[in-house]
Amino acid sequence: MKRVFSGVQPTGNIHIGNYLGALKQFVELQEDHECLYCIVDEHAITVPQDPKELRQHILDVAALYLAIGIDPKKSIVFVQSQVSGHAELGWVLCCNSYTGELSRMTQFKAKSGGQESVGTGLLTYPVLMAADILLYDTDIVPVGNDQKQHIELCRDIAIRVNHNYKETFVVPEGRFMKAGARIMALDDPTSKMSKSAINVHSRISLLDEDSKIKKSIMRATTDSDGEIRFDPENKPGVSNLLSIYSAFSGEDIETIAARFAGKGYGDLKKELVGVTQEALAPIKANFKEIRESDELKAILRDGAERAGAIAEKTMKRVRDTFGLGF
Ligand code: AQP
């Protein structure tokens, strides 16, 4: 069975971009793969976090994982900082990567831009992400399109170590959704939907009330020509709404666009409100009960133990490759 690894940062409310780009794949893959799904709290602290809030967000993401259908009997669900191999391998890989390649990463440029002093963690973030993946001999990494460059870097580092030392790492492949790989902000369809954007109507969070979902979609930015067709370059707003519709419903984008031919943007938005509310209703219904259950922490402890056992095997191999310890 091929092994799958992916993670989500506990940095705020998980939105439909995270879900349609990454999380939805997690659920599908667990049926016929060996899956590890991580809450990557060590990534979250690359920018300042309130410690109390961070701990709450860790449990929120864990509960959401289960609420969307990740089954802890089928998949390993755990928190990154509970398995020390992530930080240990992260350091080893830092010593096998170059500042030049890291400073070229688009996400680093975006997050560090305009700041007076830039934390080292922001620069080395993709190296820690490579460690997360390589620690588990991962074959497949389901992520959104924004992570493509980081997956390439991870592959480069693995190939570099295998070539410069000896065969140590499995070289992984990214897995991207056809529809949903890059959901754009509702208020500005030229930027990706993000947890940290100031305008709450730029995104739909998985736990948003129906009224908020309706408000955010009905006020989404479109254009003035009135034609419903999929054309991300010239009609990014309408194309984004069609992508979200397709990703939730499973219906082909072209089929949806053809069905709305001659109708107005208001008609598309109204239907999308219904489709989104319907898709998120069971997640919201499951979340509350799981989040309040005593079992949640037990599931995470068990997950960390199982993940830790796999990680330790890899770390033994890594220490041997580099001659660490005795
Ligand atoms: N807009 C998006 N469309 C599709 N996929 C997305 N992902 C993120 N945004 C979109 C995917 O979601 C997974 C988890 O993301 P993350 O929490 O690890 O980090 P992120 O990419 O930094 O998410 P945000 O929402 O943009 O958070 P902030 O605002 O904190 O930077 C990843 O697989 C990612 O590709």
Side-chain angles (χ1 to χ4, degrees):
M1 244 206 269
K2 292 212 166 180
R3 192 173 281 161
V4 171
F5 174 92
S6 196
V8 171
Q9 295 186 72
T11 44
N13 292 325
I14 304 297
H15 52 72
I16 59 169
N18 301 129
Y19 178 67
L20 297 173
L23 290 158
K24 203 160 167 268
Q25 303 189 66
F26 295 5
V27 183
E28 292 160 10
L29 285 164
Q30 70 180 348
E31 296 311 323
D32 45 10
H33 295 78
E34 190 186 347
C35 298
L36 292 109
Y37 296 127
C38 190
I39 297 136
V40 289
D41 53 348
E42 289 170 340
H43 283 277
I45 60 164
T46 51
V47 292
Q49 300 290 339
D50 178 296
K52 278 201 187 107
E53 262 182 28
L54 182 59
R55 286 216 160 140
Q56 293 307 313
H57 285 152
I58 289 169
L59 296 174
D60 289 344
V61 175
L64 263 178
Y65 272 178
L66 306 187
I68 62 164
I70 293 174
D71 179 350
K73 289 194 192 82
K74 293 181 184 159
S75 302
I76 300 179
V77 179
F78 69 107
V79 180
Q80 183 186 28
S81 60
Q82 306 301 106
V83 178
S84 60
H86 291 260
E88 187 183 354
L89 184 56
W91 172 251
V92 173
L93 299 186
C94 265
C95 301
N96 288 275
S97 50
Y98 302 108
T99 52
E101 61 188 353
L102 300 184
S103 55
R104 280 196 297 275
M105 293 290 122
T106 315
Q107 199 180 75
F108 171 69
K109 286 192 212 158
K111 293 210 168 179
S112 62
Q115 286 190 36
E116 245 174 57
S117 53
V118 177
T120 317
L122 270 187
L123 181 69
T124 56
Y125 178 110
V127 184
L128 181 60
M129 178 169 156
D132 300 337
I133 297 166
L134 301 181
L135 191 58
Y136 298 102
D137 292 336
T138 303
D139 299 293
I140 300 165
V141 192
V143 278
N145 255 357
D146 60 319
Q147 296 298 329
K148 243 181 193 163
Q149 210 184 14
H150 291 167
I151 300 288
E152 269 316 304
L153 180 84
C154 171
R155 289 170 53 84
D156 288 348
I157 295 173
I159 292 167
R160 185 178 299 152
V161 170
N162 288 349
H163 178 265
N164 290 352
Y165 291 83
K166 63 176 178 178
E167 201 65 25
T168 305
F169 295 125
V170 171
V171 181
E173 304 269 353
R175 185 180 191 271
F176 310 93
M177 296 298 269
K178 193 163 161 261
R182 189 172 179 82
I183 300 298
M184 309 308 282
L186 295 173
D187 62 337
D188 170 14
T190 58
S191 331
K192 79 164 187 138
M193 188 176 282
S194 151
K195 297 190 206 95
S196 54
I198 293 162
N199 181 3
V200 292
H201 292 294
S202 68
R203 63 183 165 266
I204 293 169
S205 299
L206 296 191
L207 301 176
D208 274 352
E209 299 288 337
D210 280 355
S211 56
K212 156 69 174 59
I213 295 173
K214 186 173 177 192
K215 223 180 205 172
S216 300
I217 292 179
M218 294 312 287
R219 62 166 67 175
T221 302
T222 48
D223 54 55
S224 55
D225 87 13
E227 195 192 338
I228 298 181
R229 71 187 148 82
F230 187 69
D231 178 353
E233 204 173 304
N234 299 305
K235 296 174 70 68
V238 174
S239 302
N240 190 38
L241 297 179
L242 288 168
S243 294
I244 297 170
Y245 196 127
S246 167
F248 271 130
S249 66
E251 206 181 345
D252 191 65
I253 290 185
E254 297 305 332
T255 313
I256 301 166
R259 199 151 41 79
F260 280 98
K263 293 192 181 167
Y265 294 158
D267 299 311
L268 172 64
K269 285 179 172 178
K270 265 186 224 147
E271 249 192 60
L272 181 59
V273 168
V275 167
T276 307
Q277 289 173 338
E278 202 180 308
L280 300 188
I283 299 175
K284 288 189 279 186
N286 292 340
F287 175 81
K288 202 168 176 296
E289 197 186 328
I290 297 169
R291 180 66 177 82
E292 283 164 8
S293 131
D294 294 335
E295 241 187 279
L296 188 59
K297 286 184 182 170
I299 288 171
L300 293 175
R301 278 190 209 103
D302 175 63
E305 213 170 284
R306 288 156 69 201
I310 304 172
E312 189 45 33
K313 272 195 202 152
T314 311
M315 284 318 299
K316 279 203 177 106
R317 204 166 66 228
V318 169
R319 290 182 206 113
D320 180 61
T321 292
F322 288 94
L324 297 169
F326 57 88

